[in-house]
């Protein structure tokens, strides 16, 4: 029997140096695409994929994330008094979205180390891990696409997408065989290889489904790329013991933790909005871009 994926872990302790000065005192996970913080997009994606219980791994100066998923008493009171019922319901829904707990990663020692903080929360169940700066705009939620592959193969699954050219060096990269359309069995993986050494053009995207044996693998992982405990290196250890799969995601992935990626995501998502898209499109058409 395949265990259902009920729990998700959100590493959110990173310092967000790619987005300074905006991230000097505010968490990068709270940067808003149009009107919604990055972390809310990803929490909504996980809930739409069957997740019931969430652990957000935070750090110092990240209390805005906890406040966002809490009840905002004064705001709600004010919206009710002013008769803004629809907005009240939207705001209240954010605090009702899932059971969310928090723990702190006291030092930013890498993604593998961040995920390790979830060991007690996870216990003996398989679980998902999602990175909030990877926003995937897709028909079917990205995590749901992966859950379906997990349920079929009963093995850990990571998300992948093709990345052309030298940009591949900014990712974990897999070496894999396609076993059915868009599903790969992984042979090896490497974190942020030099372009010439990348084993393929298949980049790891920030969505993972792990089995609890990942924690033992993290314990054995030595600091790697950037001197950090990398989750890619931990997965590589586990890969010697069990099959690992990757799903090429349907949809568009935006790197919203990067200034240019964030601008692109803002434009794309704003154009799709029923309340803003039409006027925004008119504005963009009127720009003299030559
Ligand atoms: C992390 C992972 C990397 C993955 C990337 C996806 O890197 O370590 O394997 O390709 O997320 O966004 P980061 O971007 O946190 O340096």
């Amino acid at each position: 029997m395949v265990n259902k994926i009920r729990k998700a872990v959100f590493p959110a302790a990173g310092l967000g140096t790619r987005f300074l000065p905006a991230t000097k005192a505010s968490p990068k996970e709270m940067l808003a695409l149009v009107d919604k913080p990055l972390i809310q997009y990803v929490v909504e994606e996980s809930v739409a994929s069957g997740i019931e219980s969430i652990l957000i791994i935070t750090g110092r100066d990240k209390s805005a994330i906890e406040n966002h998923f809490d009840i905002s008493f004064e705001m709600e009171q004010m919206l009710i008094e002013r008769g803004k019922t629809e907005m009240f319901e939207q705001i209240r829904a954010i605090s009702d979205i899932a059971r969310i707990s928090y723990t702190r990663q006291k030092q930013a020692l890498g993604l593998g180390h961040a995920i390790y903080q979830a060991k007690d929360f996870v216990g003996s169940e398989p679980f998902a891990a999602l990175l909030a700066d990877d926003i995937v705009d897709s028909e079917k939620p990205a995590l749901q696409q992966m859950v379906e592959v997990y349920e079929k193969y009963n093995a850990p699954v990571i998300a992948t997408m093709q990345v052309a050219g030298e940009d591949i060096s900014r990712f974990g990269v897999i070496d894999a065989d396609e076993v059915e359309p868009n599903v790969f069995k992984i042979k090896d993986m490497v974190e942020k290889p030099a372009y010439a050494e990348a084993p393929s053009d298949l980049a790891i995207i920030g969505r993972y489904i792990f089995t609890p044996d990942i924690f033992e693998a993290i314990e054995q992982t030595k600091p790697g790329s950037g001197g950090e405990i990398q989750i890619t290196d931990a997965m590589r250890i586990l890969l010697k013991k069990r099959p690992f799969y990757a799903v090429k995601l349907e949809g568009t992935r935006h790197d919203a933790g990067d200034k240019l990626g964030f601008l692109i995501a803002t434009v794309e998502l704003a154009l799709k909005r029923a309340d803003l898209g039409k006027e925004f499109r008119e504005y963009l058409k009127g720009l003299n871009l030559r």
Side-chain angles (χ1 to χ4, degrees):
M1 240 267 300
V2 179
N3 282 313
K4 191 176 174 308
I5 311 290
R6 300 186 311 119
K7 294 180 178 176
V9 173
F10 288 72
L15 297 175
T17 46
R18 289 191 296 159
F19 226 112
L20 282 168
T23 47
K24 187 180 171 215
S26 317
K28 76 167 168 185
E29 295 77 12
M30 290 300 294
L31 290 168
L33 286 176
V34 187
D35 55 5
K36 193 154 71 174
L38 300 181
I39 190 138
Q40 190 182 334
Y41 282 93
V42 187
V43 165
E44 286 175 357
E45 176 195 316
S46 70
V47 170
S49 308
I51 296 298
E52 297 160 10
S53 190
I54 287 172
L55 179 70
I56 302 184
I57 320 273
T58 65
R60 283 181 290 282
D61 298 327
K62 298 278 187 170
S63 52
I65 299 176
E66 292 179 47
N67 294 339
H68 187 71
F69 291 106
D70 197 354
I71 286 177
S72 177
F73 188 74
E74 280 117 350
M75 178 76 78
E76 292 186 359
Q77 208 50 35
M78 187 270 284
L79 292 171
I80 290 170
E81 277 163 22
R82 297 193 185 168
K84 296 189 187 294
T85 324
E86 209 179 302
M87 185 53 79
F88 163 77
E89 279 161 9
Q90 266 188 41
I91 296 297
R92 173 51 71 91
I94 301 171
S95 57
D96 285 339
I97 195 164
R99 284 198 304 279
I100 306 187
S101 350
Y102 300 87
T103 194
R104 277 195 180 195
Q105 183 191 17
K106 294 180 192 129
Q107 286 176 286
L109 297 180
L111 182 55
H113 179 262
I115 291 174
Y116 192 74
Q117 311 307 309
K119 190 169 184 256
D120 288 346
F121 166 79
V122 163
S124 55
E125 290 184 38
F127 67 102
L130 299 95
L131 306 186
D133 42 14
D134 279 332
I135 299 293
V136 185
D137 182 18
S138 54
E139 287 283 316
K140 189 184 279 184
L143 186 62
Q144 177 62 31
Q145 297 178 40
M146 299 167 66
V147 165
E148 288 169 11
V149 174
Y150 165 81
E151 286 175 349
K152 180 162 175 192
Y153 291 91
N154 195 13
V157 179
I158 61 176
T160 187
M161 277 188 172
Q162 270 167 314
V163 169
E166 306 215 350
D167 278 354
I168 195 76
S169 294
R170 292 165 41 192
F171 297 85
V173 183
I174 60 170
D175 181 14
D177 291 326
E178 196 161 15
V179 289
E180 61 175 284
N182 300 324
V183 178
F184 297 79
K185 186 157 190 275
I186 302 176
K187 292 192 285 190
D188 203 357
M189 57 179 91
V190 51
E191 180 68 11
K192 304 200 174 82
Y195 175 50
E197 277 150 36
S200 74
D201 60 354
L202 292 171
I204 300 173
I205 302 304
R207 301 284 185 277
Y208 308 82
I209 292 176
F210 291 122
T211 41
D213 49 4
I214 192 68
F215 295 114
E216 267 164 60
I218 298 172
E219 282 164 15
Q220 292 163 27
T221 304
K222 308 249 164 4
S225 169
E228 297 186 336
I229 308 284
Q230 296 293 349
I231 196 64
T232 307
D233 295 337
M235 292 192 288
R236 196 158 184 252
I237 292 175
L238 207 49
L239 193 57
K240 297 195 178 100
K241 297 187 201 149
R242 60 147 67 241
F244 238 99
Y245 290 85
V247 183
K248 191 153 96 187
L249 295 177
E250 163 274 308
T252 307
R253 175 255 182 193
H254 297 292
D255 181 3
D258 169 76
K259 290 175 191 175
L260 181 61
F262 182 87
L263 286 171
I264 294 169
T266 302
V267 172
E268 295 276 342
L269 295 182
L271 284 171
K272 288 187 172 183
R273 284 275 297 248
D275 55 343
L276 298 165
K278 196 160 165 274
E279 276 178 76
F280 188 47
R281 186 175 305 273
E282 287 309 312
Y283 164 73
L284 292 176
K285 274 196 210 155
L287 290 177
N288 181 1
L289 295 175
R290 240 148 272 154

